[in-house]
C-alpha cells in the first residue's frame, strides 16, 4: 500500500505478524533442540549400560550408537543456539523443561523406567508453564547488529550489572577455594552467573549470523568474534563447575536447582542487556513469571524420587547390580532422573510390619522404600566431603557396618 506521497508503507499488522512468525520459529527450534538432546542422553546412557554387560568392555567412543547420540546432542544444541536469534532469551531458557519432560517418557518407553503420579503431575505443570511462557513473552524481538551490541555493552545499567556479577563471582571463588565451602549452591551460583554471559553472547552471535544470512553482512564487525570467544570460554567454565556439582552431590538436587538458577540468570540477562520486558504490560510480566514458577515446580516433581543406583531389568547383569563401582560410574555420567528403576515385585507399604527382602532377592525390591528417603535430606546447602559419594548411594554398597 502507498501513502498520499506515493511512498510504500508496510501494512499496520505486518510487523507484528513478522515478530509472531519469528517467535514461533524460535520456540520450534528450542523445543526441537531440547527433544533431540533428550533422545541423545538416553542413547548415550544405553550404550554405557550395554557396554558394562560385555565380558571385555570397549571404550564407548568405539560404539557407533554412542556417536549417533552425540551427533543428536550437537544438532540439538545448534537448535537451541539458533533459537536465540528468533526468540527472546528469557523465553528460550525456560523451554528447557522440554528436555526433562521428554526424557521422562523416553526413559519409560525404552529403558522401562517407572513413572509415578508426582512425575505426571510435574509434567502437567511444566507444560502449562511453557504455554504461559510462549503466550505472555515479549513479541518485539529484534536482531542486533554489531554496532547495536556495542552500544548495549556501553549502557550504564549493564556496566552496573557486570560489576555486581563480578563481585559475586569473587565472593563465590573465595568461599570455594579459600574457605573450602564446597556447597551445591556455591557451584551452581558460579554456573548461573557464568551462564548469563553465555546467554548474552549466544544471542548476539546468533543475531549477527541471522542478519548476515539476510543480506546484512556482519563479518566485518569485531563484536562477532569477541562474542564468539566469550561464548566458547563461558561454556567451558560452565561445564567444569556443573560436572563438579554432579560428581559430589545428588543429581536430584543439582538438576532442578541448576535449571532454576540458569533460567533466572537468562531472564535477568534478557532484561538488562536486551530489554526484553520493555513494552510489556504488568499482566504480561506477571503471567510470564508465573509460567516460569510453574516450570520450576514441574521440574522439581519430575526429578524427585529417582534412584541412580537402580537399573532396568535386562540392561545389566544380575551379578551385583548395585556394586559401588557401577553406582559411581553412572552417577558421575548421568543425572539420577535419567536412570531406570526396578519395579517387578509388589510394592511394600511404608512402615509395614512385613519382613524385608533379602539381598538375594534384589530383583524383587519394592520401587520405593525407606532408604530412598535419605536422598531427600540433601539440600543446596549440603557440603561435599572429600572421598565420599552422593547421598543417594547406599552405604551398605561400600561395605560399611
Amino acid at each position: 500500500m502507498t501513502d498520499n506521497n506515493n511512498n510504500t508503507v508496510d501494512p499496520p499488522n505486518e510487523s507484528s505478524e513478522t515478530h509472531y512468525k519469528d517467535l514461533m520459529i524460535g520456540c520450534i527450534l528450542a523445543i526441537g533442540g531440547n527433544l533431540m538432546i533428550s533422545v541423545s542422553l538416553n542413547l548415550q546412557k544405553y550404550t554405557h549400560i550395554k557396554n558394562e554387560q560385555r565380558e571385555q568392555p570397549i571404550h564407548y567412543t568405539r560404539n557407533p550408537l554412542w556417536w549417533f547420540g552425540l551427533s543428536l546432542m550437537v544438532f540439538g544444541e545448534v537448535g537451541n543456539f539458533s533459537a536465540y536469534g528468533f526468540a527472546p532469551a528469557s523465553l528460550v531458557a525456560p523451554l528447557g523443561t522440554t528436555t526433562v519432560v521428554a526424557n521422562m517418557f523416553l526413559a519409560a518407553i525404552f529403558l522401562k523406567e517407572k513413572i509415578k503420579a508426582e512425575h505426571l503431575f510435574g509434567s502437567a505443570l511444566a507444560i502449562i508453564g511453557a504455554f504461559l511462557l510462549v503466550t505472555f513473552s515479549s513479541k518485539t524481538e529484534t536482531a542486533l547488529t554489531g554496532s547495536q551490541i556495542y552500544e548495549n555493552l556501553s549502557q550504564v545499567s549493564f556496566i552496573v550489572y557486570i560489576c555486581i556479577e563480578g563481585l559475586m563471582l569473587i565472593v563465590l571463588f573465595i568461599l570455594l577455594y579459600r574457605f573450602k565451602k564446597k556447597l551445591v549452591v556455591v557451584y551452581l551460583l558460579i554456573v548461573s552467573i557464568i551462564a548469563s554471559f553465555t546467554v548474552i553472547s549466544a544471542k548476539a552471535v546468533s543475531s549477527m549470523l541471522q542478519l548476515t544470512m539476510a543480506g546484512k553482512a556482519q563479518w566485518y564487525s569485531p563484536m562477532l568474534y569477541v562474542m564468539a570467544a566469550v561464548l566458547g570460554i563461558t561454556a567451558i567454565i560452565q561445564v567444569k563447575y556443573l560436572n563438579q556439582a554432579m560428581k559430589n552431590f545428588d543429581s536430584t538436587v543439582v538438576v532442578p536447582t541448576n535449571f532454576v538458577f540458569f533460567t533466572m540468570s537468562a531472564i535477568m540477562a534478557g532484561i538488562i542487556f536486551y530489554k526484553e520486558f520493555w513494552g510489556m504490560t504488568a499482566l504480561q510480566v506477571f503471567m510470564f513469571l508465573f509460567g516460569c514458577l510453574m516450570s520450576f515446580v514441574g521440574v522439581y516433581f519430575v526429578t524427585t524420587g529417582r534412584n541412580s543406583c537402580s537399573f532396568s531389568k535386562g540392561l545389566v547383569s544380575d551379578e551385583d547390580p548395585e556394586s559401588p563401582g557401577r553406582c559411581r560410574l553412572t552417577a558421575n555420567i548421568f543425572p539420577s532422573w535419567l536412570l531406570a528403576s526396578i519395579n517387578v515385585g509388589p510394592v511394600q507399604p511404608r512402615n509395614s510390619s512385613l519382613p524385608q527382602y533379602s539381598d538375594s532377592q534384589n530383583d524383587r525390591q519394592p520401587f520405593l522404600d525407606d532408604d530412598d528417603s535419605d536422598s531427600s535430606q540433601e539440600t543446596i546447602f549440603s557440603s561435599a566431603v572429600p572421598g565420599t559419594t552422593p547421598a543417594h548411594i547406599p552405604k551398605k554398597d561400600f561395605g560399611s557396618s
Side-chain angles (χ1 to χ4, degrees):
M1 60 181 293
T2 58
D3 58 11
N4 294 332
N5 296 323
N6 295 324
N7 295 323
T8 301
V9 179
D10 293 332
N13 61 344
E14 181 176 341
S15 177
S16 60
E17 288 180 357
T18 301
H19 289 309
Y20 180 78
K21 290 179 180 178
D22 288 345
L23 181 66
M24 289 298 101
I25 293 174
C27 291
I28 292 172
L29 287 171
I31 293 174
N34 286 317
L35 288 175
M36 296 182 72
I37 291 173
S38 181
V39 174
S40 168
L41 291 173
N42 280 277
L43 283 177
Q44 292 183 71
K45 188 192 82 170
Y46 179 80
T47 58
H48 283 287
I49 295 176
K50 292 293 289 184
N51 192 40
E52 288 187 87
Q53 292 182 263
R54 295 175 179 267
E55 294 182 0
Q56 295 181 348
I58 63 174
H59 198 273
Y60 58 87
T61 56
R62 296 176 59 186
N63 191 325
L65 186 60
W66 184 87
W67 283 105
F68 178 67
L70 181 64
S71 63
L72 287 180
M73 177 171 288
V74 172
F75 284 118
E77 292 295 352
V78 170
N80 277 335
F81 171 78
S82 302
Y84 284 107
F86 294 92
S90 56
L91 172 61
V92 174
L95 288 178
T97 53
T98 310
T99 300
V100 181
V101 175
N103 177 82
M104 183 187 70
F105 291 102
L106 288 172
I109 295 172
F110 298 106
L111 302 175
K112 311 304 180 185
E113 183 171 340
K114 176 68 176 179
I115 297 180
K116 298 194 290 185
E118 57 263 36
H119 302 151
L120 294 175
F121 176 69
S123 299
L125 289 180
I127 292 172
I128 295 173
F131 173 78
L132 293 177
L133 289 171
V134 175
T135 303
F136 294 97
S137 63
S138 174
K139 304 298 189 298
T140 59
E141 177 67 9
T142 56
L144 300 182
T145 63
S147 59
Q148 290 174 322
I149 291 173
Y150 178 78
E151 291 177 3
N152 287 5
L153 289 172
S154 305
Q155 296 177 94
V156 176
S157 58
F158 181 72
I159 294 175
V160 173
Y161 175 72
I162 290 295
C163 292
I164 294 175
E165 289 209 324
L167 289 175
M168 291 178 63
L169 276 178
I170 292 174
V171 172
L172 290 170
F173 284 135
I174 291 175
L175 290 175
L176 180 61
Y177 294 109
R178 177 66 177 85
F179 296 101
K180 307 298 181 182
K181 298 293 184 180
K182 296 184 177 181
L183 307 175
V184 184
V185 67
V186 172
Y187 284 114
L188 297 185
L189 279 176
I190 292 175
V191 172
S192 64
I193 292 175
I194 299 298
S196 65
F197 300 104
T198 306
V199 169
I200 290 173
S201 57
K203 184 170 178 60
V205 173
S206 182
S207 296
M208 284 187 279
L209 291 178
Q210 180 186 353
L211 289 173
T212 299
M213 290 185 292
K216 300 179 180 179
Q218 299 294 311
W219 301 116
Y220 64 87
S221 175
M223 292 307 303
L224 175 62
Y225 306 100
V226 171
M227 286 297 180
V230 173
L231 174 60
I233 294 172
T234 55
I236 293 173
I237 297 175
Q238 278 189 79
V239 170
K240 173 185 177 181
Y241 287 100
L242 183 58
N243 281 338
Q244 289 185 14
M246 290 292 293
K247 179 179 180 181
N248 295 318
F249 299 96
D250 194 334
S251 55
T252 57
V253 173
V254 174
V255 171
T257 306
N258 180 66
F259 173 76
V260 171
F261 283 5
F262 172 79
T263 302
M264 293 175 62
S265 177
I267 292 174
M268 287 299 300
I271 293 174
I272 301 298
F273 189 83
Y274 291 104
K275 294 180 169 53
E276 292 178 349
F277 280 13
W278 266 238
M280 294 176 62
T281 64
L283 176 61
Q284 287 178 307
V285 174
F286 173 79
M287 294 303 295
F288 180 88
L289 296 179
F290 183 69
C292 290
L293 178 61
M294 293 193 70
S295 297
F296 297 159
V297 177
V299 168
Y300 170 78
F301 278 104
V302 169
T303 59
T304 190
R306 306 285 182 171
N307 189 337
S308 62
C309 286
S310 298
F311 295 93
S312 175
K313 184 177 181 181
L315 293 180
V316 295
S317 63
D318 294 332
E319 297 178 1
D320 196 15
E322 294 188 358
S323 63
R326 189 183 303 271
C327 292
R328 285 197 298 269
L329 172 67
T330 53
N332 290 342
I333 295 177
F334 300 103
S336 61
W337 49 269
L338 289 175
L339 299 180
S341 300
I342 299 173
N343 187 35
V344 296
V347 178
Q348 179 178 340
R350 191 179 294 275
N351 299 326
S352 171
S353 60
L354 294 176
Q356 297 290 332
Y357 291 96
S358 64
D359 291 338
S360 62
Q361 295 175 315
N362 282 335
D363 59 336
R364 295 181 58 82
Q365 285 282 4
F367 176 75
L368 182 63
D369 55 24
D370 290 335
D371 289 340
D372 291 338
S373 62
D374 294 340
S375 62
S376 64
Q377 301 302 318
E378 186 177 6
T379 68
I380 60 174
F381 299 102
S382 301
S383 298
V385 180
T388 62
T389 55
H392 59 269
I393 300 178
K395 293 182 179 180
K396 63 181 181 180
D397 291 339
F398 296 91
S400 61
S401 56

